[in-house]
């Protein structure tokens, strides 16, 4: 699913995060160049069931957001590509 350059922000990140919790089919999600920074935590609420590749390039992820991602990657075995 290609959602790059769509001005996804806090509310969008929350909705996408909620959808990822129940997703069983989406394997690729491109969120490049949106407005997801500290809201990145909403995307990493629970392990992914099917998502293998996620692109967050050019989103200015904050230090606290990077910490959330790092902790998530310690336990998630599904995601194999993170940009």
């Amino acid at each position: 699913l290609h959602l790059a350059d769509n001005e996804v922000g806090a509310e969008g990140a929350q909705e996408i995060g909620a959808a990822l919790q129940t997703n069983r089919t989406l394997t690729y999600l491109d969120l490049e160049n949106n407005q997801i920074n500290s809201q990145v935590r909403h995307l990493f609420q629970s392990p992914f069931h099917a998502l293998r590749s996620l692109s967050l390039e050019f989103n200015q992820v904050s230090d606290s957001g990077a910490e959330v991602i790092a902790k998530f990657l310690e336990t998630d075995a599904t995601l194999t590509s993170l940009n």
Side-chain angles (χ1 to χ4, degrees):
L1 180 61
H2 182 77
L3 295 174
D5 302 306
N6 276 293
E7 298 182 17
V8 174
E11 187 175 332
Q14 281 184 299
E15 294 298 324
I16 292 168
L20 288 175
Q21 290 181 18
T22 58
N23 169 56
R24 299 281 191 253
T25 56
L26 184 68
T27 59
Y28 172 76
L29 179 58
D30 182 352
L31 292 171
E32 287 183 23
N33 201 32
N34 281 288
Q35 298 171 2
I36 301 169
N37 42 50
S38 62
Q39 294 84 14
V40 74
R41 69 185 181 281
H42 298 297
L43 299 175
F44 296 94
Q45 295 176 16
S46 63
F48 297 143
H49 302 288
L51 196 65
R52 304 254 187 282
S53 179
L54 175 62
S55 180
L56 294 171
E57 192 172 18
F58 305 115
N59 272 291
Q60 300 178 351
V61 174
S62 65
D63 289 345
S64 62
E67 288 177 20
V68 168
I69 294 170
K71 286 185 185 252
F72 176 85
L73 292 174
E74 290 175 359
T75 59
D76 184 83
T78 306
L79 193 66
T80 59
S81 175
L82 177 63
N83 186 13

